[in-house]
Amino acid sequence: MTIKAKNRVVIRRAPTNGANGKPGMAMVLNPANIVLDTESDGLVHNFSKATCTVQLMQGTLLFAPAVSILQQVRCSAQVSGSVIRITGISVDPITQYSYGSAYVDFSASANGQTFKGRLSVQVNVLSVVARIETANHELEQNVTTLMQAEDLRQETMTKLAVQQQRIVAQVTQNIQHRYNMLPSSKTLVSPCTLGSGVTLHHRMEADFTVASATASDDYVDVLEWQGVEFEPNTYYSLSFWAKGQGQARAFLYPEACANSTNSQGFESENSDGHSQFQLANEWQWYWVVFKTSTTIEGLKRLLPFRLMPGANGMVYGVCLVQGAMPVHWLPYNYNPQRNWFTPTMAADASPGEVIDSEIVEDSQMGTVMQLTSDLGRNFQLVFDAPDYQQLNNQSVTMFVVMRQISPNPLWHFGGWNDNDEYKGSFAFLNNKAHCIDLGNGWKKYYTTFFNVNNRLWNGVSALGLNSLKGTVQIHSAGLVLGEQCPEWHTVPLRRAMKRAGLDIDTERIELNGRTMFKNDNATVPLFSENGKLNPQLSTAQYLMNVLRSMETMIDGGLVIAGLMAAKDGNQVTAYLNGLRQKMHALAAGVKAFGTNEESALSYINFDGSAKFGNLGIAADGSVNIIDHEGKPRINITPEVLPTDSELFKNADVERKITLGGSTVNVDPVSNPHAYTETFEVMNNNSFVHYIIPVRIDGYTNKELAKKTQETRSLGLGWSAAFVNVDNGDVISIETREGNSFITARTEIYGGIVKYKGDDGIFYTWNDTAVSGKTILSKGRWKIRISVSPGVNVNTGAVVFKGTKITINYVSGMQSLNLAHNGFASIQSGKQAVYVRDGKLHAFGSMNIPGILLAGTINRNGTISNAWGEYAKGTLLQYVQSDGKRVARVIFKNALPCGASYVAIANVNGDSIGCTAVVLEKTAKYCDFRVVEINGREPDYVGLDVVIIGKNSA
């Protein structure tokens, strides 16, 4: 299991109570999150190093806080002092693998302050891949390495909270520089320069070169890059791993910076970007964010690590990116285009000492080499690098694409050089190296090193897979110049050919969506067994040519059907239509084709109107979003907003109708229908709520009534519907069967009453009510009750007892209109808000008053500090009104709300103890009585006035 410590997170907080000079307190997580690897069974077993130390820092003081766990999500955790330990990861019940992510929320308290934080736990991507493969085995996933995925997450989500807003608190991903701006930052060779007394330790930390030094009486510039280009007024983030004792500093100079801040909270406005760190005895990740000056010119020098006198330290993994978000080490973009290995495909390489070697076909990678060995020594698959001398004393990256078949096989990959202190690179690549997960067990392992004195290979001994113990499959191997692992696996051309549709690895042509079509091992292959073009595809090609040229060998030319339909089994699901009898020219997602219930999810009509899911396009080009009932809810137009009358023409106020009662005799055979009186719907798509109290009477025959034995009978069945008087449309709303009753006794059965009349006839009736809601179109409507025969019940009557109809557009309309000069949200004829030409109009119930004008009117009568539509031109005059001296505020234009407004005024003149009260309000002016505390009425003070009211009549 690998535990990877990512960057430390610093959450800054303002000084308590704003005390001058008191430093803000910050919470530091080390590491910021924990990364766990699963074992071969997809579960995490080893948690020995899954710990995080929580610290609170105030200036140079460091506190060990009291930590409490608030919640644990998809994991279990324990706290010991200020250390959080992850003790378990929950298992996904779908994939039976460990969850891909988890977190612990906690609080940390020290020195009278409490912080809340979150510790994220990331598990390798096996769980994610398993979930995807469970959902769809046909998906091909290219999953990047966990380190790359986590780096990308950090770049997107890291928050750099610093004082005085020098760097924006939330930083989003900057895609301009996704690569390190510093070449040779992994191997620390030219153009990286080293200071006096600096020692390089190649491949000391994974495949990183580490630089170390000790500063005695003077400082030591450990690493430096010269001639680096920077843009003015731009953020740049420098990061590196370091450990040691004493103080280290970083610089960006000369005359390059406006300010800088670092991971330990040190801030500077020096032009050389001066930033200083206190080193720790363990490896920690440090960063500094520079903001360049607006006047920066020329190439600059970056000094990431200077040891001050008396300090000693080590550093590696230096990274510089554009943007205010530090990231872990990224490669410099060499964009390698040559693979120095020959051959590049493992299937073409030469097997060495193995128990078994076999070329097999893999559904994902194509032709691969499968090797089995139990030697644990010597070379099992040999490659060549004929031009290896050209790579001498250069930074190179070596990779191999392989899949481990047997459990935990051992292997190395590289070349032998007996003259090298490491005996070459033969052990540089192994199953512990950096890797990119390609899915389905395939991984791309890679490593970078400085090829000093041809450390890669001596050109004579073996080069390739060695020390294999177990079974593996190998697709390809490669060697490129630089520190960047390429995206391609063999050669760039091979990858480009695959994107274009020619997959050499799987020996097939895939004409995908970018080209023409994808064969994908279809039942009708491109070529027949004799190697010639499949005749079935030839027919298809002929028809395609016919459609292009409109010329055929058929006498009379091309024959085109009026309707071309696509079937899914026996159901037509889409069609292309040329018959004007059908409304749609093109339809997809068709249901109930050819019936009165036919519908389509998406269609285009002959007039250009269309519907795509919930998106509707009218014939005039306007666009609307449709709800599940087909009503346009959101209307969009490039034109101006419709007039008020157009906006509100369908926003009816609720209208209630009560239809009179009546009794209608019915006969199930000759006269089955009974109707209410007519009511009118004024608009299409009206929302109608109905309550129909009704009684259905049924009459038995005299012969049955004379019988004394019990006879079971059934009353009249009936159904209710709305009928359009104008066009005959019928909307059914309910159907019921007649209820059972016994004709020879007088009893009550659940609302069915039987009684014997004076005429000797037994009567039955059913008191009930039909209620519900529906959508009706514009027109005149009636409610119809239709009866059906019962058992021993021949005739009857329908008694309407006062039907209640409520018609409104409140629910049916509710629309949002968008136009280039404003928007409108219409709830009803009494509730709406809209903005037209920059002016807000609102009425109905609301919680935002409209300020018609506000401002300061001086004693000379002019207004300043003015705001509001009616503020311009407002004057102040002292006049006599009804024998009283008043301060009259005169509006340039009459207020739309007349005198129905609220007026507030404060005196702003020199008088002491003076107040202003409203005396009279009109649409053209508002009079205020101004009185001092001593009773005098001054005429030399100004007013601060606010007028609040509706901006429409």
Side-chain angles (χ1 to χ4, degrees):
M1 182 183 74
T2 302
I3 308 291
K4 302 189 178 88
K6 309 304 286 184
N7 64 305
R8 299 197 309 169
V9 171
V10 180
I11 306 170
R12 298 182 65 88
R13 180 168 169 174
T16 305
N17 298 326
N20 291 332
K22 185 175 182 179
M25 181 170 280
M27 180 167 65
V28 180
L29 306 185
N30 195 4
N33 48 44
I34 295 174
V35 180
L36 307 176
D37 283 345
T38 58
E39 305 296 344
S40 58
D41 59 359
L43 303 177
V44 179
H45 295 288
N46 188 351
F47 298 91
S48 60
K49 297 182 180 179
T51 61
C52 172
T53 301
V54 181
Q55 297 173 310
L56 293 181
M57 183 168 58
Q58 190 171 35
T60 59
L61 300 178
L62 202 61
F63 299 92
V67 177
S68 299
I69 293 178
L70 302 178
Q71 68 170 338
Q72 309 163 61
V73 177
R74 294 191 289 273
C75 68
S76 57
Q78 297 177 348
V79 173
S80 176
S82 60
V83 176
I84 300 175
R85 179 180 298 276
I86 304 300
T87 60
I89 297 294
S90 302
V91 176
D92 189 332
I94 298 177
T95 65
Q96 295 302 310
Y97 293 106
S98 293
Y99 276 106
S101 63
Y103 61 87
V104 176
D105 287 341
F106 64 91
S107 65
S109 301
N111 199 28
Q113 297 194 50
T114 299
F115 286 80
K116 290 184 179 180
R118 172 169 291 179
L119 173 62
S120 297
V121 182
Q122 300 294 326
V123 180
N124 66 16
V125 295
L126 176 60
S127 175
V128 179
V129 175
R131 185 187 298 275
I132 295 174
E133 292 180 343
T134 300
N136 190 340
H137 293 292
E138 296 178 0
L139 284 178
E140 296 181 2
Q141 296 293 321
N142 290 324
V143 184
T144 59
T145 61
L146 181 59
M147 177 69 78
Q148 288 175 324
E150 181 59 17
D151 285 347
L152 182 59
R153 189 187 71 81
Q154 289 293 340
E155 291 171 24
T156 307
M157 301 301 295
T158 300
K159 292 183 178 180
L160 305 178
V162 298
Q163 294 175 346
Q164 300 177 359
Q165 298 182 351
R166 286 177 176 168
I167 300 178
V168 178
Q170 291 186 343
V171 184
T172 55
Q173 173 177 305
N174 186 307
I175 60 174
Q176 290 180 322
H177 289 276
R178 288 296 301 117
Y179 294 92
N180 197 338
M181 297 172 61
L182 305 176
S184 302
S185 58
K186 197 172 193 178
T187 54
L188 302 183
V189 297
S190 179
C192 173
T193 60
L194 308 177
S196 176
V198 176
T199 302
L200 293 183
H201 309 270
H202 294 291
R203 302 181 64 82
M204 180 177 178
E205 287 293 325
D207 55 354
F208 284 87
T209 297
V210 176
S212 66
T214 298
S216 299
D217 298 328
D218 198 3
Y219 62 78
V220 175
D221 292 339
V222 180
L223 302 174
E224 186 175 25
W225 276 264
Q226 302 180 12
V228 184
E229 184 176 3
F230 293 86
E231 297 177 5
N233 197 32
T234 304
Y235 289 112
Y236 291 87
S237 297
L238 169 70
S239 63
F240 53 85
W241 289 87
K243 69 176 181 178
Q245 295 179 331
Q247 187 184 100
R249 295 184 179 181
F251 299 89
L252 174 58
Y253 67 105
E255 300 297 323
C257 294
N259 55 66
S260 66
T261 184
N262 69 21
S263 53
Q264 294 185 347
F266 182 87
E267 299 177 11
S268 168
E269 293 183 350
N270 291 354
S271 63
D272 61 2
H274 163 231
S275 187
Q276 62 188 45
F277 306 86
Q278 285 299 125
L279 298 177
N281 291 327
E282 301 295 331
W283 285 115
Q284 290 190 8
W285 191 62
Y286 299 84
W287 54 260
V288 56
V289 176
F290 303 100
K291 184 177 182 182
T292 57
S293 67
T294 57
T295 58
I296 187 173
E297 293 180 352
L299 301 179
K300 301 300 177 182
R301 305 173 71 172
L302 177 69
L303 201 165
F305 200 71
R306 169 184 286 179
L307 290 173
M308 301 308 293
N312 64 81
M314 309 177 82
V315 62
Y316 76 93
V318 182
C319 185
L320 178 69
V321 295
Q322 187 184 69
M325 48 192 149
V327 298
H328 287 270
W329 185 86
L330 295 172
Y332 183 82
N333 187 19
Y334 286 91
N335 192 21
Q337 295 297 306
R338 177 178 177 181
N339 190 340
W340 294 76
F341 277 178
T342 301
T344 59
M345 295 292 295
D348 299 327
S350 302
E353 295 185 35
V354 295
I355 294 177
D356 182 58
S357 66
E358 181 183 6
I359 296 177
V360 298
E361 293 296 320
D362 179 78
S363 60
Q364 176 177 333
M365 305 303 293
T367 304
V368 299
M369 175 71 77
Q370 180 168 305
L371 300 170
T372 301
S373 175
D374 62 355
L375 296 176
R377 63 182 187 275
N378 299 337
F379 281 77
Q380 283 69 52
L381 190 63
V382 179
F383 291 78
D384 191 12
D387 297 327
Y388 74 98
Q389 292 282 8
Q390 299 181 36
L391 300 175
N392 187 33
N393 293 323
Q394 303 259 24
S395 296
V396 296
T397 297
M398 182 168 57
F399 66 87
V400 60
V401 179
M402 65 186 304
R403 177 168 63 177
Q404 300 178 156
I405 302 300
S406 62
N408 302 317
L410 300 176
W411 56 272
H412 291 157
F413 191 97
W416 185 267
N417 187 339
D418 196 62
N419 296 322
D420 182 69
E421 63 175 312
Y422 295 122
K423 300 303 178 183
S425 63
F426 78 98
F428 283 6
L429 260 182
N430 51 55
N431 57 9
K432 296 182 180 180
H434 298 302
C435 69
I436 301 171
D437 195 331
L438 304 177
N440 199 26
W442 286 99
K443 294 184 178 181
K444 186 175 187 178
Y445 298 88
Y446 64 95
T447 187
T448 299
F449 58 97
F450 183 64
N451 189 30
V452 56
N453 297 326
N454 286 321
R455 172 169 289 169
L456 165 72
W457 182 45
N458 60 13
V460 178
S461 303
L463 168 66
L465 184 74
N466 62 87
S467 308
L468 174 63
K469 194 170 185 179
T471 301
V472 297
Q473 290 181 351
I474 303 178
H475 170 262
S476 56
L479 181 73
V480 297
L481 185 65
E483 299 175 346
Q484 178 186 358
C485 182
E487 294 182 357
W488 44 265
H489 302 331
T490 52
V491 292
L493 179 60
R494 201 181 194 100
R495 179 180 176 89
M497 292 170 67
K498 188 170 184 177
R499 287 199 305 267
L502 181 58
D503 190 344
I504 299 177
D505 298 340
T506 57
E507 297 181 345
R508 66 183 182 186
I509 298 176
E510 293 183 354
L511 299 178
N512 51 35
R514 186 183 300 180
T515 51
M516 294 171 63
F517 66 92
K518 185 176 181 181
N519 181 36
D520 200 20
N521 294 323
T523 55
V524 181
L526 186 62
F527 298 99
S528 61
E529 294 180 357
N530 59 10
K532 296 182 179 180
L533 188 66
N534 191 309
Q536 297 182 42
L537 291 183
S538 298
T539 303
Q541 188 65 43
Y542 170 74
L543 291 176
M544 291 170 63
N545 291 334
V546 167
L547 291 173
R548 291 191 189 100
S549 65
M550 300 300 290
E551 296 179 357
T552 72
M553 293 183 294
I554 302 175
D555 188 15
L558 180 64
V559 177
I560 298 181
L563 178 68
M564 298 176 65
K567 281 188 174 183
D568 181 6
N570 295 323
Q571 302 297 322
V572 172
T573 57
Y575 60 78
L576 179 64
N577 172 46
L579 304 175
R580 293 295 300 205
Q581 293 93 326
K582 295 186 71 66
M583 181 183 299
H584 306 320
L586 175 65
V590 178
K591 295 181 179 179
F593 175 76
T595 69
N596 292 332
E597 304 298 326
E598 179 181 325
S599 64
L601 177 64
S602 301
Y603 55 78
I604 300 176
N605 296 325
F606 289 103
D607 62 358
S609 61
K611 173 180 176 288
F612 300 95
N614 290 331
L615 183 66
I617 303 175
D620 62 359
S622 60
V623 179
N624 51 70
I625 297 177
I626 306 166
D627 68 6
H628 65 283
E629 294 179 342
K631 303 185 195 66
R633 295 295 190 181
I634 300 177
N635 307 296
I636 306 170
T637 174
E639 307 298 332
V640 298
L641 274 178
T643 63
D644 287 3
S645 60
E646 285 293 316
L647 284 175
F648 294 102
K649 73 175 182 180
N650 289 326
D652 267 349
V653 176
E654 185 175 85
R655 187 160 59 96
K656 296 183 178 180
I657 302 171
T658 300
L659 304 179
S662 62
T663 299
V664 182
N665 291 323
V666 291
D667 183 285
V669 177
S670 61
N671 182 31
H673 303 307
Y675 294 90
T676 64
E677 57 188 284
T678 300
F679 64 93
E680 187 170 8
V681 176
M682 306 302 295
N683 301 289
N684 285 324
N685 293 324
S686 289
F687 185 83
V688 176
H689 185 274
Y690 53 87
I691 301 176
I692 310 171
V694 65
R695 190 182 80 220
I696 311 297
D697 289 352
Y699 308 147
T700 64
N701 56 51
K702 293 182 180 181
E703 288 72 19
L704 182 63
K706 294 175 181 178
K707 295 180 180 180
T708 58
Q709 72 274 21
E710 292 185 357
T711 302
R712 293 191 176 275
S713 300
L714 194 68
L716 296 176
W718 58 275
S719 61
F722 285 95
V723 178
N724 190 303
V725 177
D726 300 317
N727 57 26
D729 286 348
V730 176
I731 299 177
S732 298
I733 54 177
E734 189 157 352
T735 300
R736 297 185 186 179
E737 292 184 354
N739 290 322
S740 176
F741 65 96
I742 298 176
T743 58
R745 294 188 304 174
T746 302
E747 293 188 11
I748 299 176
Y749 290 85
I752 301 299
V753 179
K754 186 277 307 176
Y755 71 97
K756 184 177 180 180
D758 295 337
D759 55 2
I761 298 177
F762 285 84
Y763 298 86
T764 67
W765 70 79
N766 184 358
D767 268 316
T768 187
V770 181
S771 63
K773 53 189 177 182
T774 188
I775 302 296
L776 296 182
S777 60
K778 180 180 179 180
R780 296 179 301 146
W781 293 84
K782 289 183 177 182
I783 297 172
R784 184 183 75 189
I785 301 294
S786 302
V787 298
S788 58
V791 176
N792 297 321
V793 178
N794 305 317
T795 59
V798 175
V799 181
F800 294 104
K801 298 190 292 184
T803 299
K804 297 182 183 299
I805 303 291
T806 302
I807 306 173
N808 63 57
Y809 234 87
V810 174
S811 176
M813 182 59 187
Q814 286 181 347
S815 63
L816 174 65
N817 298 270
L818 306 177
H820 77 262
N821 70 325
F823 67 88
S825 176
I826 310 300
Q827 301 301 313
S828 71
K830 293 183 177 180
Q831 181 73 57
V833 59
Y834 57 98
V835 173
R836 186 195 305 276
D837 299 326
K839 298 178 182 179
L840 175 66
H841 304 263
F843 55 87
S845 176
M846 67 188 69
N847 59 5
I848 302 177
I851 299 178
L852 302 180
L853 70 90
T856 298
I857 312 176
N858 64 28
R859 66 185 66 179
N860 298 319
T862 58
I863 189 170
S864 61
N865 193 25
W867 186 87
E869 181 179 358
Y870 295 88
K872 184 177 181 180
T874 300
L875 303 174
L876 174 63
Q877 295 179 358
Y878 281 89
V879 300
Q880 292 289 331
S881 176
D882 294 332
K884 301 181 182 65
R885 183 187 300 278
V886 297
R888 174 166 293 175
V889 176
I890 303 171
F891 314 125
K892 181 179 180 181
N893 298 312
L895 301 184
C897 55
S900 298
Y901 56 84
V902 176
I904 303 172
N906 290 323
V907 175
N908 63 18
D910 299 328
S911 180
I912 299 176
C914 195
T915 184
V917 295
V918 177
L919 186 64
E920 182 182 13
K921 296 186 294 184
T922 72
K924 286 293 295 180
Y925 64 85
C926 182
D927 287 347
F928 295 88
R929 183 82 182 276
V930 181
V931 181
E932 287 185 341
I933 195 171
N934 55 15
R936 290 194 310 111
E937 296 181 9
D939 58 0
Y940 54 83
V941 297
L943 297 178
D944 295 329
V945 179
V946 178
I947 304 296
I948 303 172
K950 293 169 56 177
N951 59 3
S952 60

